[in-house]
Amino acid sequence: MGAAGCSRLPLLLLLLGPRVSGQLRSPRPWPVPYRRFDYRPKTDPYCQARYTFCPTGSAIPVMREEDVIEVYRLQAPVWEFKYGDLLGHLKIMHDAVGFKSSLTGKNYTMEWYELFQLGNCTFPHLRPGMDAPFWCNQGAACFYEGIDDAHWKANGTLVLVTTISGTMFNEMAQWVKYDNETGIYYETWTVQASPDKKSTVWFDSYECSKFILRTYQKLADLGAVFKKIQTNYTSIILFSGEPIYLGNETSIFGPQGNKTLAAAIRDFYSPFKPHQSVREFFVDLFKIIDHVILNHQFYFFYNLEYWFLPMKTPYLKIVYEEVPLPVGSKASFGV
């Protein structure tokens, strides 16, 4: 960590005060486990999507046990429908999975993504009259009939990865229901100690590719045998020293909260708002650079709790790395 970052840590400890001084280091092993919930809460009407979530969504059908279903890996640049391959050049990709029934000839797409777009899942709103940042960060699974071949093939991937039975598909569908009802919040960032592949991961992301990886693993556990092909996925990584636990919304922003720390968190998130002019954008961009790079600060929200990340070089990196297709734990299914 640079000198500026070191000089800020004592100040942060003073901001935290004795009330949370015993919580500065997490006793949990790294990475911090993603929290699952008993049910999915209703979304707040304040949260609005520019593009409607899952507009043609449908229930997952029950397949006949003897059906033979092809499973396809689907990948395309984020917002390909609007910007074409622009984000593909940066390897910022969206992942999904496709299915084709041999008995009916119908095909289907399944994916997991943000209810209110990526920006809302990554940074909060600072609403007038509300002390705490307001998050619109739910994500969910979307299942619908059809595979848009042109969308996936034009600048991405549409390739067969395995074949399963109708019974396996139905068991997977039950798992998807559980996974979707308990894994609620989208997490954009992976946070780790350094670019080294063996470095400590402090927090793992929870986004579209992780859902596809979990789905593949579930199918493998049910007996699916995957083809030997290379599969790469996008991760957006922040680099920091060991994170410092700060507290939750009540302990920081509530009546007995730490007002100085609350103000610092609001100040950090303020430049990430939507911009109305080019000048406003560059003013806020300088503030972001000042926080993250010059002062090595990042306030991170995960599992409904806030953490301080002492940022360090290279600060942020987009990687497109191979994650092999899984090997199952049951006897394989042969077609």
Side-chain angles (χ1 to χ4, degrees), residues 174-203:
Q174 291 300 312
W175 168 83
V176 169
K177 184 175 185 293
Y178 159 80
D179 187 82
N180 191 52
E181 289 177 351
T182 61
I184 300 169
Y185 295 108
Y186 190 102
E187 299 289 353
T188 302
W189 311 105
T190 294
V191 185
Q192 62 187 57
S194 77
D196 187 272
K197 288 188 176 182
K198 295 183 179 180
S199 73
T200 300
V201 175
W202 308 120
F203 302 92

Side-chain angles (χ1 to χ4, degrees), residues 99-263:
F99 304 95
K100 182 178 181 180
S101 165
S102 64
L103 289 181
T104 66
K106 291 183 177 181
N107 50 39
Y108 306 90
T109 300
M110 184 171 71
E111 52 193 335
W112 195 97
Y113 63 101
E114 326 88 72
L115 268 63
F116 306 107
Q117 276 75 68
L118 182 60
N120 283 320
C121 286
T122 308
F123 300 106
H125 296 260
L126 301 180
R127 297 175 61 179
M130 296 182 65
D131 291 331
F134 186 85
W135 291 86
C136 298
N137 58 337
Q138 284 197 41
C142 174
F143 187 95
Y144 52 94
E145 186 173 339
I147 296 177
D148 185 349
D149 289 19
H151 168 70
W152 301 107
K153 285 182 176 179
N155 298 301
T157 300
L158 192 163
V159 62
L160 179 70
V161 290
T162 190
T163 308
I164 62 175
S165 69
T167 299
M168 293 162 64
F169 179 92
N170 294 335
E171 290 190 45
M172 177 210 70
Q174 291 300 312
W175 168 83
V176 169
K177 184 175 185 293
Y178 159 80
D179 187 82
N180 191 52
E181 289 177 351
T182 61
I184 300 169
Y185 295 108
Y186 190 102
E187 299 289 353
T188 302
W189 311 105
T190 294
V191 185
Q192 62 187 57
S194 77
D196 187 272
K197 288 188 176 182
K198 295 183 179 180
S199 73
T200 300
V201 175
W202 308 120
F203 302 92
D204 209 349
S205 63
Y206 195 89
E207 27 72 13
C208 64
S209 69
K210 295 300 193 296
F211 173 74
I212 300 306
L213 290 169
R214 293 195 303 278
T215 301
Y216 288 162
Q217 185 61 59
K218 182 62 180 180
L219 292 176
D221 292 343
L222 292 171
V225 178
F226 285 85
K227 294 178 176 292
K228 297 185 182 300
I229 60 173
Q230 182 170 331
T231 51
N232 288 49
Y233 301 90
T234 301
S235 293
I236 305 177
I237 305 174
L238 298 175
F239 298 100
S240 85
E242 184 169 346
I244 298 172
Y245 177 73
L246 302 178
N248 60 26
E249 180 177 311
T250 301
S251 67
I252 298 172
F253 299 96
Q256 305 302 317
N258 187 324
K259 296 188 182 302
T260 306
L261 177 59

Side-chain angles (χ1 to χ4, degrees), residues 267-286:
D267 181 63
F268 171 79
Y269 283 126
S270 177
F272 293 98
K273 63 182 180 295
H275 297 94
Q276 304 300 319
S277 69
V278 174
R279 180 184 179 279
E280 186 182 50
F281 168 78
F282 281 105
V283 168
D284 281 345
L285 178 62
F286 177 78

